[in-house]
Amino acid sequence: MRTQVGIVGAGPAGLLLSHLLALRGIDSLVVEDRSRAYCEARQRAGLLEDGTVRLLREADLAQRLDAEGLEHGGIYLQFAGERHHLDFRDLTGGRTVTIYAQTEIVKDLIARRLADGGALEFEISSTAVADLDTDRPVLSYMTAGGERREVICDAIAGCDGFHGICRPSIPAGLLTVRDRAYPYAWLGITAEVPPSTDELIYNRHPEGFALHTMRTPQISRLYLQVRPDERLEDWPDDRIWAAFQRRFALPGWELKEGPIFDKAVTPMRSFVSSPMRYGRLFLAGDAAHIVPPTGAKGLNLAMADVTVLADALHALLLGDSRLADGYSDACLSRVWRATHFSWWMTTMLHVAPDADPMTEELQLSQLRYVTTSRAAATSLAENYTGYPPLR
Ligand code: RFL
Ligand code: PHB
């Protein structure tokens, strides 16, 4: 079998790349080891930078996003018993962010690829990549029906997430890895109750961080800082709501509760592997880098990577390798900005198990600074809405 670009992984990175390549007249095959239903239901990100929204519009993928997405002009920061608003529109000259769940983006992308006749294979197994240092790399796998396939490609895109097989296929010693695990995790819930807030609330409380976000005008999503080894069984719904009530408490404001229908614990880490290319294998999204979710950057970075990659592969297949040669550096500059911002938001808002009173005072001072200084608030707003702005 033959395709121009073999794409491993039907997450946002792999699916969007396949669509962007199709717009440039390049054919691709996306292979995914999970089922379509699983990919469409996996609860993850929810917040899109302003440049990501524009990118989806330009790629003619924003019909439902424009109808159902919730545009937000700022966020709240809560600490020391007070809630402060940061107005992004005012601080950044009109930039905003949009709540539109990753599940919906994945559904839109899969539907569009299938409508356009794109090749997608779900529930495959034994994925492997080979001959990466030649100009005919090979993608092999077992189909859902048990048939062995070998696909000769011009290039392979490793969009298979943090636990995928593409990054480990690069010969040992060629990658530089920067890795940090944080001493806390997020317990995330989705609940059938209208959000109690118009915009996201990032909350630092002596008991730990909490975030109130949303999915739709009827569905709330909330996150609670817990220990990394926390067991979900120890968190019945009433214990979760009681923790949120304590952390978000504010005189005159009420947190509405409702039935919880999704619950999971996510560890927090920062991870960057470079370069993002080996021969004809290009890594994109979580396959190359992970950020803690406090900055809402992971999905946006994945989509920014494949925007750069689509142009690089287009030129490479026409015989010009300059963009492909610059791919890794072009992405990593944005990745490191997002990695710093996510680390900064995370360490400012969470309570580490070994935190001393000095650390607490430093966090509170930083929070007072970003909520009183226009210069500091502008820096947060510029990073949160996306820096550098996606062209
Ligand atoms: P994905 O989404 O992990 O997709 C990778 C796909 O590859 C498949 N795969 C394989 N397929 C074939 N063969 C193999 N051997 C394979 N191994 C793996 C997997 O099944 C999967 O379908 O990576 P991608 O496309 O790079 O997308 C990255 C994003 O999913 C991720 O960065 C975000 O979800 C992170 N994130 C957030 N990002 C934001 O921008 N804004 C947010 O508000 C935000 N909130 C979050 C988040 C992530 C969270 N969790 C659960 C990690 C909130 C949470 C709680
Ligand atoms: C979400 O809506 O799931 C979300 C929003 C902002 C974050 C993390 C997650 O920082």
Side-chain angles (χ1 to χ4, degrees):
M1 282 178 69
R2 182 83 181 84
T3 190
Q4 287 179 288
V5 181
I7 300 176
V8 187
L15 291 166
L16 178 62
L17 177 63
S18 143
H19 175 75
L20 295 176
L21 290 174
L23 293 180
R24 289 159 178 76
I26 298 168
D27 69 82
S28 63
L29 164 69
V30 181
V31 298
E32 164 63 51
D33 61 2
R34 302 288 192 152
S35 69
R36 176 179 177 182
Y38 182 92
C39 292
E40 291 184 342
R42 192 165 33 197
Q43 273 298 332
R44 283 195 168 174
L47 190 121
L48 305 180
E49 292 172 358
D50 136 286
T52 307
V53 172
R54 255 183 298 115
L55 159 70
L56 291 169
R57 277 192 195 128
E58 278 163 26
D60 188 25
L61 289 166
Q63 248 167 320
R64 220 156 56 88
L65 163 63
D66 280 330
E68 297 171 25
L70 306 173
E71 188 179 13
H72 287 190
I75 56 168
Y76 296 96
L77 285 176
Q78 183 172 338
F79 59 95
E82 287 179 18
R83 189 173 294 167
H84 304 259
H85 187 244
L86 294 190
D87 185 337
F88 294 162
R89 283 195 185 92
D90 173 44
L91 292 164
T92 64
R95 297 172 65 200
T96 60
V97 292
T98 297
I99 286 285
Y100 187 67
Q102 182 167 331
T103 47
E104 306 314 297
I105 291 185
V106 166
K107 282 183 210 164
D108 293 347
L109 281 165
I110 291 176
R112 180 61 184 273
R113 286 311 293 135
L114 293 176
D116 290 349
L120 288 180
E121 285 221 38
F122 290 97
E123 296 178 72
I124 60 121
S125 54
S126 311
T127 322
V129 293
D131 301 340
L132 301 172
D133 54 353
T134 73
D135 55 12
R136 288 288 176 273
V138 177
L139 166 63
S140 61
Y141 59 96
M142 189 88 84
T143 65
E147 264 176 67
R148 182 99 213 129
R149 292 268 163 81
E150 285 212 344
V151 187
I152 299 169
C153 311
D154 294 320
I156 294 178
C159 303
D160 50 349
F162 186 64
H163 301 288
I165 56 98
C166 288
R167 191 181 66 250
S169 305
I170 298 176
L174 294 186
L175 292 180
T176 300
V177 168
R178 300 286 178 253
D179 192 6
R180 175 164 303 176
Y182 298 85
Y184 27 76
W186 278 13
L187 194 172
I189 62 151
T190 319
E192 211 179 311
V193 58
S196 304
T197 178
D198 57 339
E199 291 179 343
L200 274 59
I201 309 170
Y202 287 82
N203 186 341
R204 184 203 180 278
H205 185 273
E207 241 183 62
F209 171 78
L211 170 62
H212 189 331
T213 171
M214 62 196 70
R215 285 294 171 264
T216 69
Q218 290 79 38
I219 305 287
S220 298
R221 178 129 175 107
L222 294 97
Y223 297 98
L224 190 69
Q225 177 188 339
V226 295
R227 293 197 325 267
D229 58 351
E230 204 75 64
R231 293 162 3 129
L232 264 186
E233 308 87 89
D234 296 336
W235 285 88
D237 294 5
D238 53 357
R239 183 178 175 204
I240 294 177
W241 283 120
F244 281 130
Q245 293 291 0
R246 284 194 306 277
R247 294 189 198 183
F248 283 116
L250 201 66
W253 180 83
E254 187 205 349
L255 175 67
K256 295 186 283 263
E257 301 183 11
I260 295 175
F261 59 86
D262 180 271
K263 219 191 268 191
V265 175
T266 310
M268 311 262 283
R269 93 190 285 164
S270 295
F271 176 96
V272 181
S273 159
S274 61
M276 290 168 58
R277 173 196 186 181
Y278 168 66
R280 289 272 175 134
L281 172 68
F282 297 82
L283 302 179
D286 279 16
H289 42 74
I290 295 279
V291 285
T294 330
K297 290 291 167 230
L299 171 62
N300 293 291
L301 281 179
M303 298 186 121
D305 285 354
V306 299
T307 309
V308 179
L309 185 53
D311 284 336
L313 291 174
H314 186 208
L316 184 68
L317 300 193
L318 292 172
D320 180 349
S321 64
R322 282 173 300 178
L323 288 179
D325 293 342
Y327 167 70
S328 183
D329 287 347
C331 292
L332 285 169
S333 150
R334 171 185 300 277
V335 166
W336 275 111
R337 177 86 303 275
T339 299
H340 177 270
F341 177 67
S342 303
W343 162 84
W344 177 73
M345 286 285 281
T346 300
T347 52
M348 175 170 71
L349 288 161
H350 290 70
V351 179
D354 60 352
D356 57 4
M358 178 78 176
T359 308
E360 177 178 359
E361 293 298 347
L362 292 172
Q363 287 179 313
L364 292 172
S365 170
Q366 186 64 26
L367 282 161
R368 281 193 300 271
Y369 184 45
V370 292
T371 50
T372 55
S373 151
R374 187 171 174 93
T378 302
S379 170
L380 189 156
E382 174 174 70
N383 279 280
Y384 195 92
T385 54
Y387 188 85
L390 205 60
R391 60 160 181 79

